Tab-separated table of all heavy atoms in Angstrom:
chain	number	residue	atom	x	y	z
A	161	MET	N	0.841	-1.184	0.000
A	161	MET	CA	0.000	0.000	0.000
A	161	MET	C	0.887	1.250	0.000
A	161	MET	O	1.858	1.330	0.733
A	161	MET	CB	-0.876	0.007	1.255
A	161	MET	CG	-1.880	1.123	1.287
A	161	MET	SD	-3.138	0.888	2.569
A	161	MET	CE	-2.389	1.760	3.942
A	162	VAL	N	0.517	2.187	-0.837
A	162	VAL	CA	1.222	3.468	-0.873
A	162	VAL	C	0.190	4.577	-0.632
A	162	VAL	O	-0.850	4.626	-1.287
A	162	VAL	CB	1.941	3.691	-2.218
A	162	VAL	CG1	2.583	5.068	-2.247
A	162	VAL	CG2	2.981	2.616	-2.443
A	163	ILE	N	0.495	5.439	0.302
A	163	ILE	CA	-0.405	6.531	0.653
A	163	ILE	C	-0.027	7.765	-0.158
A	163	ILE	O	1.155	8.071	-0.324
A	163	ILE	CB	-0.294	6.866	2.151
A	163	ILE	CG1	-0.579	5.635	2.998
A	163	ILE	CG2	-1.235	7.996	2.524
A	163	ILE	CD1	-0.179	5.800	4.453
A	164	THR	N	-1.042	8.452	-0.639
A	164	THR	CA	-0.805	9.744	-1.287
A	164	THR	C	-1.753	10.775	-0.675
A	164	THR	O	-2.846	10.425	-0.219
A	164	THR	CB	-1.029	9.688	-2.808
A	164	THR	OG1	-2.354	9.227	-3.061
A	164	THR	CG2	-0.024	8.769	-3.485
A	165	VAL	N	-1.317	12.013	-0.655
A	165	VAL	CA	-2.182	13.084	-0.160
A	165	VAL	C	-2.274	14.171	-1.221
A	165	VAL	O	-1.321	14.437	-1.947
A	165	VAL	CB	-1.657	13.686	1.163
A	165	VAL	CG1	-1.705	12.666	2.280
A	165	VAL	CG2	-0.250	14.248	1.016
A	166	ASP	N	-3.451	14.758	-1.312
A	166	ASP	CA	-3.692	15.857	-2.247
A	166	ASP	C	-3.810	17.131	-1.427
A	166	ASP	O	-4.854	17.420	-0.841
A	166	ASP	CB	-4.974	15.583	-3.038
A	166	ASP	CG	-5.246	16.662	-4.073
A	166	ASP	OD1	-4.619	17.748	-4.005
A	166	ASP	OD2	-6.101	16.426	-4.944
A	167	ARG	N	-2.733	17.878	-1.379
A	167	ARG	CA	-2.715	19.085	-0.538
A	167	ARG	C	-3.683	20.150	-1.041
A	167	ARG	O	-4.107	21.008	-0.276
A	167	ARG	CB	-1.295	19.632	-0.434
A	167	ARG	CG	-0.414	18.771	0.480
A	167	ARG	CD	1.034	19.217	0.487
A	167	ARG	NE	1.225	20.645	0.670
A	167	ARG	CZ	1.224	21.265	1.863
A	167	ARG	NH1	1.064	20.582	2.957
A	167	ARG	NH2	1.405	22.566	1.931
A	168	GLU	N	-4.030	20.107	-2.315
A	168	GLU	CA	-4.994	21.064	-2.843
A	168	GLU	C	-6.385	20.824	-2.260
A	168	GLU	O	-7.167	21.749	-2.080
A	168	GLU	CB	-5.046	20.980	-4.373
A	168	GLU	CG	-3.764	21.414	-5.049
A	168	GLU	CD	-3.394	22.861	-4.694
A	168	GLU	OE1	-4.275	23.725	-4.739
A	168	GLU	OE2	-2.230	23.103	-4.356
A	169	ARG	N	-6.695	19.555	-1.984
A	169	ARG	CA	-8.005	19.210	-1.415
A	169	ARG	C	-8.039	19.382	0.095
A	169	ARG	O	-9.114	19.450	0.686
A	169	ARG	CB	-8.350	17.753	-1.726
A	169	ARG	CG	-8.596	17.458	-3.181
A	169	ARG	CD	-8.954	15.995	-3.360
A	169	ARG	NE	-10.273	15.707	-2.847
A	169	ARG	CZ	-11.341	15.504	-3.600
A	169	ARG	NH1	-11.232	15.540	-4.904
A	169	ARG	NH2	-12.510	15.248	-3.061
A	170	CYS	N	-6.895	19.383	0.727
A	170	CYS	CA	-6.819	19.405	2.181
A	170	CYS	C	-7.440	20.683	2.740
A	170	CYS	O	-7.156	21.781	2.274
A	170	CYS	CB	-5.360	19.306	2.611
A	170	CYS	SG	-5.130	19.437	4.394
A	171	ALA	N	-8.277	20.497	3.763
A	171	ALA	CA	-8.951	21.631	4.399
A	171	ALA	C	-8.312	21.983	5.740
A	171	ALA	O	-8.904	22.725	6.532
A	171	ALA	CB	-10.425	21.315	4.584
A	172	SER	N	-7.145	21.423	6.014
A	172	SER	CA	-6.395	21.742	7.235
A	172	SER	C	-7.155	21.403	8.515
A	172	SER	O	-6.984	22.074	9.529
A	172	SER	CB	-5.989	23.226	7.259
A	172	SER	OG	-5.330	23.578	6.063
A	173	SER	N	-7.979	20.376	8.466
A	173	SER	CA	-8.794	20.042	9.644
A	173	SER	C	-7.987	19.369	10.746
A	173	SER	O	-8.368	19.402	11.909
A	173	SER	CB	-9.943	19.123	9.236
A	173	SER	OG	-9.444	17.831	8.932
A	174	GLY	N	-6.903	18.695	10.362
A	174	GLY	CA	-6.053	18.049	11.360
A	174	GLY	C	-6.515	16.675	11.809
A	174	GLY	O	-5.892	16.064	12.682
A	175	GLN	N	-7.605	16.178	11.247
A	175	GLN	CA	-8.123	14.871	11.655
A	175	GLN	C	-7.102	13.753	11.446
A	175	GLN	O	-6.970	12.861	12.273
A	175	GLN	CB	-9.388	14.535	10.855
A	175	GLN	CG	-10.521	15.482	11.077
A	175	GLN	CD	-11.071	15.423	12.485
A	175	GLN	OE1	-10.702	16.232	13.323
A	175	GLN	NE2	-11.910	14.462	12.753
A	176	CYS	N	-6.402	13.804	10.342
A	176	CYS	CA	-5.448	12.739	10.023
A	176	CYS	C	-4.282	12.720	11.008
A	176	CYS	O	-3.830	11.659	11.439
A	176	CYS	CB	-4.946	12.875	8.592
A	176	CYS	SG	-4.172	14.471	8.245
A	177	ALA	N	-3.822	13.895	11.388
A	177	ALA	CA	-2.703	13.976	12.326
A	177	ALA	C	-3.119	13.495	13.710
A	177	ALA	O	-2.303	12.954	14.456
A	177	ALA	CB	-2.185	15.412	12.388
A	178	LEU	N	-4.377	13.669	14.053
A	178	LEU	CA	-4.879	13.150	15.323
A	178	LEU	C	-5.006	11.636	15.270
A	178	LEU	O	-4.663	10.936	16.223
A	178	LEU	CB	-6.257	13.752	15.639
A	178	LEU	CG	-6.264	15.175	16.165
A	178	LEU	CD1	-7.702	15.676	16.281
A	178	LEU	CD2	-5.579	15.256	17.519
A	179	ALA	N	-5.480	11.121	14.151
A	179	ALA	CA	-5.708	9.678	14.027
A	179	ALA	C	-4.401	8.895	13.906
A	179	ALA	O	-4.272	7.801	14.461
A	179	ALA	CB	-6.598	9.402	12.807
A	180	ALA	N	-3.451	9.437	13.189
A	180	ALA	CA	-2.192	8.716	12.938
A	180	ALA	C	-1.023	9.711	12.942
A	180	ALA	O	-0.462	10.055	11.900
A	180	ALA	CB	-2.271	7.982	11.598
A	181	PRO	N	-0.623	10.161	14.124
A	181	PRO	CA	0.396	11.229	14.209
A	181	PRO	C	1.780	10.828	13.727
A	181	PRO	O	2.612	11.699	13.478
A	181	PRO	CB	0.396	11.583	15.703
A	181	PRO	CG	-0.191	10.406	16.395
A	181	PRO	CD	-1.162	9.796	15.436
A	182	GLU	N	2.036	9.541	13.599
A	182	GLU	CA	3.344	9.127	13.086
A	182	GLU	C	3.365	9.091	11.559
A	182	GLU	O	4.424	8.906	10.961
A	182	GLU	CB	3.718	7.757	13.653
A	182	GLU	CG	3.896	7.835	15.164
A	182	GLU	CD	4.391	6.550	15.782
A	182	GLU	OE1	4.583	5.579	15.034
A	182	GLU	OE2	4.565	6.537	16.996
A	183	VAL	N	2.203	9.257	10.969
A	183	VAL	CA	2.101	9.168	9.505
A	183	VAL	C	1.772	10.523	8.880
A	183	VAL	O	2.243	10.834	7.786
A	183	VAL	CB	1.021	8.131	9.112
A	183	VAL	CG1	0.959	7.968	7.596
A	183	VAL	CG2	1.292	6.798	9.796
A	184	PHE	N	0.983	11.318	9.598
A	184	PHE	CA	0.549	12.608	9.058
A	184	PHE	C	0.841	13.716	10.069
A	184	PHE	O	0.688	13.529	11.272
A	184	PHE	CB	-0.962	12.612	8.792
A	184	PHE	CG	-1.426	11.514	7.899
A	184	PHE	CD1	-1.950	10.354	8.441
A	184	PHE	CD2	-1.348	11.619	6.519
A	184	PHE	CE1	-2.398	9.313	7.624
A	184	PHE	CE2	-1.783	10.591	5.693
A	184	PHE	CZ	-2.311	9.435	6.252
A	185	THR	N	1.235	14.855	9.549
A	185	THR	CA	1.321	16.054	10.383
A	185	THR	C	0.793	17.213	9.552
A	185	THR	O	0.349	17.022	8.421
A	185	THR	CB	2.764	16.294	10.888
A	185	THR	OG1	2.743	17.348	11.854
A	185	THR	CG2	3.702	16.666	9.750
A	186	GLN	N	0.826	18.406	10.137
A	186	GLN	CA	0.315	19.567	9.426
A	186	GLN	C	1.422	20.576	9.211
A	186	GLN	O	2.262	20.793	10.091
A	186	GLN	CB	-0.823	20.220	10.221
A	186	GLN	CG	-2.082	19.386	10.235
A	186	GLN	CD	-3.159	20.037	11.083
A	186	GLN	OE1	-3.249	19.763	12.264
A	186	GLN	NE2	-3.966	20.889	10.471
A	187	ASP	N	1.396	21.193	8.057
A	187	ASP	CA	2.357	22.232	7.724
A	187	ASP	C	2.230	23.392	8.718
A	187	ASP	O	1.116	23.828	9.023
A	187	ASP	CB	2.080	22.722	6.296
A	187	ASP	CG	3.129	23.700	5.815
A	187	ASP	OD1	3.121	24.853	6.261
A	187	ASP	OD2	3.957	23.290	4.988
A	188	GLU	N	3.342	23.850	9.230
A	188	GLU	CA	3.298	24.913	10.237
A	188	GLU	C	2.747	26.212	9.671
A	188	GLU	O	2.201	27.031	10.396
A	188	GLU	CB	4.699	25.154	10.807
A	188	GLU	CG	5.131	24.073	11.769
A	188	GLU	CD	6.480	24.366	12.392
A	188	GLU	OE1	6.900	25.530	12.376
A	188	GLU	OE2	7.102	23.415	12.890
A	189	GLU	N	2.905	26.409	8.367
A	189	GLU	CA	2.470	27.669	7.761
A	189	GLU	C	0.982	27.669	7.429
A	189	GLU	O	0.253	28.547	7.859
A	189	GLU	CB	3.255	27.911	6.468
A	189	GLU	CG	4.749	27.970	6.660
A	189	GLU	CD	5.253	29.388	6.744
A	189	GLU	OE1	4.813	30.190	5.919
A	189	GLU	OE2	6.065	29.668	7.634
A	190	ASP	N	0.549	26.665	6.668
A	190	ASP	CA	-0.836	26.716	6.190
A	190	ASP	C	-1.739	25.641	6.791
A	190	ASP	O	-2.936	25.603	6.489
A	190	ASP	CB	-0.877	26.643	4.659
A	190	ASP	CG	-0.288	25.360	4.095
A	190	ASP	OD1	-0.086	24.401	4.864
A	190	ASP	OD2	-0.033	25.319	2.879
A	191	GLY	N	-1.185	24.767	7.618
A	191	GLY	CA	-2.011	23.756	8.282
A	191	GLY	C	-2.371	22.571	7.422
A	191	GLY	O	-3.052	21.649	7.878
A	192	ARG	N	-1.928	22.590	6.181
A	192	ARG	CA	-2.277	21.463	5.309
A	192	ARG	C	-1.440	20.237	5.633
A	192	ARG	O	-0.354	20.338	6.204
A	192	ARG	CB	-2.091	21.858	3.838
A	192	ARG	CG	-3.093	22.901	3.417
A	192	ARG	CD	-3.037	23.152	1.940
A	192	ARG	NE	-3.920	24.272	1.601
A	192	ARG	CZ	-4.159	24.665	0.372
A	192	ARG	NH1	-3.603	24.055	-0.639
A	192	ARG	NH2	-4.962	25.675	0.141
A	193	VAL	N	-1.972	19.112	5.223
A	193	VAL	CA	-1.360	17.829	5.559
A	193	VAL	C	0.060	17.695	4.998
A	193	VAL	O	0.353	18.151	3.896
A	193	VAL	CB	-2.255	16.676	5.055
A	193	VAL	CG1	-2.369	16.687	3.532
A	193	VAL	CG2	-1.749	15.328	5.553
A	194	VAL	N	0.906	17.065	5.804
A	194	VAL	CA	2.238	16.649	5.363
A	194	VAL	C	2.355	15.163	5.645
A	194	VAL	O	2.129	14.718	6.770
A	194	VAL	CB	3.347	17.418	6.124
A	194	VAL	CG1	4.725	16.896	5.720
A	194	VAL	CG2	3.245	18.908	5.869
A	195	LEU	N	2.669	14.417	4.615
A	195	LEU	CA	2.779	12.962	4.742
A	195	LEU	C	4.190	12.591	5.217
A	195	LEU	O	5.183	12.972	4.601
A	195	LEU	CB	2.496	12.323	3.378
A	195	LEU	CG	2.556	10.801	3.300
A	195	LEU	CD1	1.530	10.154	4.218
A	195	LEU	CD2	2.331	10.353	1.851
A	196	LEU	N	4.246	11.842	6.315
A	196	LEU	CA	5.538	11.479	6.898
A	196	LEU	C	6.003	10.096	6.475
A	196	LEU	O	7.206	9.821	6.479
A	196	LEU	CB	5.442	11.529	8.427
A	196	LEU	CG	5.034	12.869	9.043
A	196	LEU	CD1	4.838	12.715	10.541
A	196	LEU	CD2	6.070	13.936	8.743
A	197	ASP	N	5.054	9.210	6.166
A	197	ASP	CA	5.422	7.828	5.836
A	197	ASP	C	4.432	7.268	4.820
A	197	ASP	O	3.338	6.833	5.181
A	197	ASP	CB	5.420	6.981	7.111
A	197	ASP	CG	5.824	5.541	6.846
A	197	ASP	OD1	6.121	5.184	5.684
A	197	ASP	OD2	5.822	4.763	7.816
A	198	GLU	N	4.831	7.285	3.555
A	198	GLU	CA	3.901	6.861	2.499
A	198	GLU	C	3.646	5.358	2.504
A	198	GLU	O	2.720	4.876	1.845
A	198	GLU	CB	4.411	7.294	1.125
A	198	GLU	CG	5.686	6.586	0.701
A	198	GLU	CD	6.133	6.980	-0.692
A	198	GLU	OE1	5.557	7.907	-1.278
A	198	GLU	OE2	7.066	6.326	-1.189
A	199	ASN	N	4.446	4.612	3.221
A	199	ASN	CA	4.280	3.154	3.249
A	199	ASN	C	3.650	2.642	4.542
A	199	ASN	O	3.610	1.428	4.775
A	199	ASN	CB	5.632	2.470	3.041
A	199	ASN	CG	6.236	2.802	1.696
A	199	ASN	OD1	7.316	3.359	1.610
A	199	ASN	ND2	5.516	2.497	0.625
A	200	ALA	N	3.161	3.530	5.357
A	200	ALA	CA	2.553	3.114	6.621
A	200	ALA	C	1.269	2.323	6.361
A	200	ALA	O	0.587	2.518	5.359
A	200	ALA	CB	2.244	4.334	7.477
A	201	THR	N	0.973	1.428	7.284
A	201	THR	CA	-0.251	0.636	7.206
A	201	THR	C	-0.856	0.556	8.609
A	201	THR	O	-0.247	1.006	9.579
A	201	THR	CB	0.025	-0.792	6.704
A	201	THR	OG1	0.969	-1.412	7.589
A	201	THR	CG2	0.560	-0.780	5.288
A	202	GLY	N	-2.027	-0.058	8.687
A	202	GLY	CA	-2.619	-0.299	9.996
A	202	GLY	C	-3.925	0.441	10.189
A	202	GLY	O	-4.323	1.261	9.361
A	203	PRO	N	-4.598	0.128	11.280
A	203	PRO	CA	-5.922	0.701	11.537
A	203	PRO	C	-5.908	2.214	11.695
A	203	PRO	O	-6.885	2.890	11.329
A	203	PRO	CB	-6.370	0.009	12.831
A	203	PRO	CG	-5.136	-0.559	13.447
A	203	PRO	CD	-4.206	-0.842	12.310
A	204	GLU	N	-4.812	2.774	12.198
A	204	GLU	CA	-4.765	4.231	12.362
A	204	GLU	C	-4.800	4.915	10.996
A	204	GLU	O	-5.442	5.950	10.820
A	204	GLU	CB	-3.490	4.664	13.099
A	204	GLU	CG	-3.268	3.991	14.423
A	204	GLU	CD	-2.571	2.642	14.300
A	204	GLU	OE1	-2.066	2.298	13.225
A	204	GLU	OE2	-2.555	1.935	15.304
A	205	VAL	N	-4.077	4.309	10.061
A	205	VAL	CA	-4.036	4.878	8.707
A	205	VAL	C	-5.421	4.796	8.069
A	205	VAL	O	-5.897	5.752	7.445
A	205	VAL	CB	-2.990	4.151	7.840
A	205	VAL	CG1	-3.046	4.651	6.404
A	205	VAL	CG2	-1.599	4.353	8.419
A	206	ARG	N	-6.083	3.667	8.265
A	206	ARG	CA	-7.454	3.502	7.737
A	206	ARG	C	-8.376	4.564	8.322
A	206	ARG	O	-9.187	5.158	7.624
A	206	ARG	CB	-7.998	2.107	8.092
A	206	ARG	CG	-7.475	1.029	7.228
A	206	ARG	CD	-8.399	0.864	5.998
A	206	ARG	NE	-7.583	0.425	4.888
A	206	ARG	CZ	-7.556	0.993	3.689
A	206	ARG	NH1	-8.332	2.003	3.403
A	206	ARG	NH2	-6.763	0.550	2.762
A	207	ARG	N	-8.235	4.762	9.627
A	207	ARG	CA	-9.085	5.768	10.285
A	207	ARG	C	-8.813	7.157	9.711
A	207	ARG	O	-9.733	7.956	9.525
A	207	ARG	CB	-8.835	5.776	11.790
A	207	ARG	CG	-9.738	4.836	12.563
A	207	ARG	CD	-9.758	5.172	14.042
A	207	ARG	NE	-8.495	4.881	14.695
A	207	ARG	CZ	-8.137	3.674	15.108
A	207	ARG	NH1	-8.939	2.653	14.924
A	207	ARG	NH2	-6.970	3.475	15.679
A	208	ALA	N	-7.548	7.449	9.457
A	208	ALA	CA	-7.198	8.759	8.896
A	208	ALA	C	-7.812	8.928	7.509
A	208	ALA	O	-8.358	9.990	7.186
A	208	ALA	CB	-5.678	8.911	8.833
A	209	ILE	N	-7.738	7.881	6.710
A	209	ILE	CA	-8.271	7.962	5.344
A	209	ILE	C	-9.784	8.153	5.376
A	209	ILE	O	-10.326	9.040	4.707
A	209	ILE	CB	-7.898	6.703	4.546
A	209	ILE	CG1	-6.385	6.670	4.315
A	209	ILE	CG2	-8.674	6.637	3.229
A	209	ILE	CD1	-5.871	5.373	3.725
A	210	THR	N	-10.472	7.350	6.158
A	210	THR	CA	-11.935	7.440	6.175
A	210	THR	C	-12.407	8.690	6.917
A	210	THR	O	-13.506	9.174	6.664
A	210	THR	CB	-12.558	6.189	6.811
A	210	THR	OG1	-12.049	6.032	8.143
A	210	THR	CG2	-12.235	4.946	6.010
A	211	GLY	N	-11.580	9.218	7.807
A	211	GLY	CA	-11.991	10.377	8.594
A	211	GLY	C	-11.711	11.709	7.944
A	211	GLY	O	-12.163	12.742	8.438
A	212	CYS	N	-10.983	11.701	6.850
A	212	CYS	CA	-10.671	12.974	6.190
A	212	CYS	C	-11.948	13.550	5.563
A	212	CYS	O	-12.573	12.910	4.727
A	212	CYS	CB	-9.605	12.771	5.111
A	212	CYS	SG	-9.290	14.294	4.188
A	213	PRO	N	-12.319	14.766	5.935
A	213	PRO	CA	-13.579	15.335	5.445
A	213	PRO	C	-13.568	15.695	3.965
A	213	PRO	O	-14.630	15.922	3.388
A	213	PRO	CB	-13.769	16.580	6.319
A	213	PRO	CG	-12.393	16.940	6.768
A	213	PRO	CD	-11.646	15.648	6.897
A	214	THR	N	-12.405	15.769	3.355
A	214	THR	CA	-12.352	16.173	1.944
A	214	THR	C	-11.790	15.086	1.033
A	214	THR	O	-11.471	15.348	-0.126
A	214	THR	CB	-11.492	17.444	1.785
A	214	THR	OG1	-10.167	17.161	2.244
A	214	THR	CG2	-12.071	18.606	2.574
A	215	GLN	N	-11.658	13.887	1.567
A	215	GLN	CA	-11.091	12.766	0.777
A	215	GLN	C	-9.751	13.128	0.142
A	215	GLN	O	-9.484	12.807	-1.019
A	215	GLN	CB	-12.073	12.304	-0.325
A	215	GLN	CG	-13.286	11.566	0.198
A	215	GLN	CD	-14.398	12.522	0.576
A	215	GLN	OE1	-14.730	13.408	-0.199
A	215	GLN	NE2	-14.947	12.375	1.756
A	216	ALA	N	-8.915	13.778	0.932
A	216	ALA	CA	-7.618	14.207	0.412
A	216	ALA	C	-6.545	13.127	0.538
A	216	ALA	O	-5.448	13.297	0.012
A	216	ALA	CB	-7.168	15.467	1.150
A	217	ILE	N	-6.872	12.032	1.241
A	217	ILE	CA	-5.886	10.961	1.452
A	217	ILE	C	-6.352	9.712	0.714
A	217	ILE	O	-7.502	9.314	0.836
A	217	ILE	CB	-5.746	10.626	2.950
A	217	ILE	CG1	-5.506	11.882	3.764
A	217	ILE	CG2	-4.619	9.621	3.160
A	217	ILE	CD1	-5.627	11.661	5.268
A	218	ARG	N	-5.425	9.120	-0.023
A	218	ARG	CA	-5.763	7.896	-0.750
A	218	ARG	C	-4.682	6.857	-0.536
A	218	ARG	O	-3.532	7.184	-0.254
A	218	ARG	CB	-5.914	8.169	-2.256
A	218	ARG	CG	-7.034	9.125	-2.546
A	218	ARG	CD	-7.311	9.275	-4.026
A	218	ARG	NE	-8.308	10.311	-4.235
A	218	ARG	CZ	-9.616	10.078	-4.236
A	218	ARG	NH1	-10.079	8.873	-4.100
A	218	ARG	NH2	-10.457	11.065	-4.416
A	219	SER	N	-5.064	5.609	-0.702
A	219	SER	CA	-4.066	4.543	-0.664
A	219	SER	C	-4.256	3.662	-1.881
A	219	SER	O	-5.377	3.406	-2.306
A	219	SER	CB	-4.196	3.718	0.611
A	219	SER	OG	-5.413	3.025	0.625
A	220	THR	N	-3.149	3.250	-2.468
A	220	THR	CA	-3.210	2.404	-3.668
A	220	THR	C	-2.321	1.194	-3.459
A	220	THR	O	-1.433	1.201	-2.616
A	220	THR	CB	-2.725	3.160	-4.912
A	220	THR	OG1	-1.420	3.692	-4.650
A	220	THR	CG2	-3.694	4.269	-5.261
B	1114	SF4	S1	-7.903	15.021	7.571
B	1114	SF4	FE1	-7.879	15.591	5.381
B	1114	SF4	S2	-8.470	17.754	5.357
B	1114	SF4	FE2	-7.869	17.271	7.454
B	1114	SF4	S3	-5.664	17.823	7.575
B	1114	SF4	FE3	-5.792	15.632	7.038
B	1114	SF4	S4	-5.731	15.585	4.783
B	1114	SF4	FE4	-6.241	17.665	5.396
């Protein structure tokens, strides 16, 4: 599984960073998502993907 994030879609809600803080964080300037580990897996990652309000996170 490879995770990708679309920063253009990101609404800076921070849900992903709360759900999986070792995989996602937020840019200090604009609050948009920053992906820390594109190969991460597990229930936290699933929660982050399904919890994103703008569907900005995908896994392939
Ligand atoms: S949950 Fe979605 S909208 Fe919120 S910060 Fe993460 S990627 Fe952006």
Side-chain angles (χ1 to χ4, degrees):
M161 186 167 92
V162 176
I163 303 167
T164 57
V165 294
D166 183 345
R167 286 174 48 83
E168 294 301 314
R169 293 181 71 105
C170 176
S172 308
S173 72
Q175 297 294 97
C176 57
L178 283 174
E182 295 185 359
V183 183
F184 305 97
T185 189
Q186 289 177 269
D187 186 286
E188 285 184 20
E189 301 262 315
D190 61 14
R192 292 188 186 185
V193 64
V194 176
L195 180 61
L196 302 174
D197 181 1
E198 67 177 8
N199 298 120
T201 58
E204 306 85 11
V205 175
R206 282 271 149 232
R207 269 197 291 279
I209 292 171
T210 58
C212 175
T214 60
Q215 288 87 48
I217 309 169
R218 298 187 186 272
S219 66
T220 54

